[in-house]
Amino acid sequence: MSQDTLQQVPATLEELLSSTTELPVLPQVAVRIFEEMRSPQISAARMAEFIKKDPVLATAVLRVANSALYGARGRINDLAFAIARVGLSQIRNLLLALVLRSQMADPDVYGEDGAPLMEHGLATAFGAGMVADGAGIESGEAFMCGLLHDFGRLALIKALREREAVSAPHLPAEQARVVDDLHSEAGELLCRNWELPEPVAVVARYHHDPGAAPEKDQPIVATVSFADALSHRLGLGIGRDEDLDLLAHPATEMLGLGAEKVEELEEYLPGLFSTARSALFS
């Protein structure tokens, strides 16, 4: 990074994020989703009562439950039945994706970078769920970690655009490099600020270096790290990087992913992502 850039950008992450802005706030409906999921009385019927208060969310749940994503054979019109078909944990994750995409990809706040980052998060989430299924890791947790792994980028983009009064679709190159350099730390800070589960914060911090994560967290970090790389290679939500060698990724050894499994993931994820994107956001 050039000396001029060092003079233009605050020296610490905390200074940057507090210079002219606050961290993005978790949307209230997302907070309620987490509260409902923590309740010992949680059930499909209880979640349906909560969701039906928001027609947009209710419609999205029914659309997802009736999509090819969940192998729908007969039309479901009952919200509780739809939730039971999809599963409570996955409903939480899908609703979180829907709410965050609608409220945190505002082009006035994030320029043209917000929406692609949200879609990359969704692709990584589904990729992480696929990897987790074959690695003995809880797929719902992997999905949420994948969805939120790059939210530090959004926080920094918001901060820099406000601080520098950027009106262009994208940040200047020097500021984009600041986002690259600091987004993992910013993501951890954001997840802790939102009081999200510990694995989400750890994944945000170490998803580019799973071997540096605490040993107990390395499997979930490696899962999301590989899914992130897979999404980059396939260009899901963001630019395609066909030169990225997935077999050389450290997660392949950490998770025991052989060439056949990697090829299977690479072949299947684009269709899954396309189906999920259509079911959620159409």
Side-chain angles (χ1 to χ4, degrees), residues 75-93:
R75 180 75 187 174
I76 295 176
N77 295 308
D78 181 80
L79 199 55
F81 189 21
I83 293 169
R85 168 180 279 181
V86 176
L88 281 166
S89 176
Q90 189 68 340
I91 281 291
R92 174 203 62 191
N93 290 331

Side-chain angles (χ1 to χ4, degrees), residues 12-200:
T12 67
L13 175 65
E14 291 78 9
E15 185 181 355
L16 173 59
L17 292 178
S18 64
S19 58
T20 60
T21 190
E22 295 180 355
L23 286 171
V25 176
L26 189 64
Q28 188 59 37
V29 66
V31 173
R32 286 294 311 280
I33 290 168
F34 277 110
E35 289 175 349
E36 290 293 328
M37 289 299 297
R38 293 189 188 107
S39 170
Q41 285 80 41
I42 187 62
S43 65
R46 180 184 172 104
M47 183 62 82
E49 287 300 314
F50 164 66
I51 293 173
K52 71 172 53 173
K53 297 173 185 177
D54 187 320
V56 174
L57 294 184
T59 300
V61 168
L62 290 172
R63 187 170 62 238
V64 167
N66 284 296
S67 73
L69 196 62
Y70 292 94
R73 295 182 179 177
R75 180 75 187 174
I76 295 176
N77 295 308
D78 181 80
L79 199 55
F81 189 21
I83 293 169
R85 168 180 279 181
V86 176
L88 281 166
S89 176
Q90 189 68 340
I91 281 291
R92 174 203 62 191
N93 290 331
L94 294 174
L95 289 178
L96 188 60
L98 184 69
V99 169
L100 292 176
R101 185 181 186 270
S102 65
Q103 298 191 25
M104 303 191 74
D106 185 345
D108 291 335
V109 178
Y110 302 101
E112 292 184 4
D113 294 313
L117 279 171
M118 287 300 310
E119 301 222 337
H120 170 66
L122 184 66
T124 301
F126 275 99
M130 290 169 57
V131 175
D133 282 339
I137 296 167
E138 206 282 304
S139 59
E141 182 176 72
F143 186 104
M144 183 165 61
C145 289
L147 182 67
L148 299 172
H149 78 283
D150 254 353
F151 259 61
R153 291 186 183 276
L154 288 168
L156 290 169
I157 288 169
K158 180 178 186 292
L160 285 165
R161 289 182 69 87
E162 289 184 4
R163 178 177 178 270
E164 304 296 332
V166 175
S167 58
H170 303 285
L171 288 173
E174 293 286 1
Q175 293 180 1
R177 278 194 283 274
V178 172
V179 174
D180 285 341
D181 290 344
L182 298 180
H183 76 277
S184 296
E185 296 169 67
E188 180 185 19
L189 181 62
L190 184 61
C191 291
R192 297 195 187 285
N193 186 63
W194 286 356
E195 299 182 353
L196 295 179
E198 178 68 11
V200 185

Side-chain angles (χ1 to χ4, degrees), residues 131-278:
V131 175
D133 282 339
I137 296 167
E138 206 282 304
S139 59
E141 182 176 72
F143 186 104
M144 183 165 61
C145 289
L147 182 67
L148 299 172
H149 78 283
D150 254 353
F151 259 61
R153 291 186 183 276
L154 288 168
L156 290 169
I157 288 169
K158 180 178 186 292
L160 285 165
R161 289 182 69 87
E162 289 184 4
R163 178 177 178 270
E164 304 296 332
V166 175
S167 58
H170 303 285
L171 288 173
E174 293 286 1
Q175 293 180 1
R177 278 194 283 274
V178 172
V179 174
D180 285 341
D181 290 344
L182 298 180
H183 76 277
S184 296
E185 296 169 67
E188 180 185 19
L189 181 62
L190 184 61
C191 291
R192 297 195 187 285
N193 186 63
W194 286 356
E195 299 182 353
L196 295 179
E198 178 68 11
V200 185
V202 175
V203 167
R205 178 67 181 87
Y206 294 105
H207 65 275
H208 287 298
D209 188 7
E215 186 173 355
K216 65 181 179 61
D217 296 309
Q218 286 185 6
I220 185 69
V221 176
T223 295
V224 175
S225 181
F226 182 85
D228 176 37
L230 177 61
S231 298
H232 276 283
R233 176 172 168 79
L234 295 171
L236 300 180
I238 53 178
R240 190 181 185 97
D241 184 1
E242 295 180 347
D243 294 330
L244 202 158
D245 184 358
L246 294 175
L247 290 175
H249 193 284
T252 57
E253 182 175 350
M254 295 171 74
L255 299 173
L257 299 175
E260 185 175 343
K261 182 62 176 177
V262 170
E263 184 178 348
E264 176 188 328
L265 291 167
E266 190 171 358
E267 180 179 349
Y268 188 62
L269 183 57
L272 178 62
F273 170 68
S274 177
T275 302
R277 185 179 181 277
S278 177

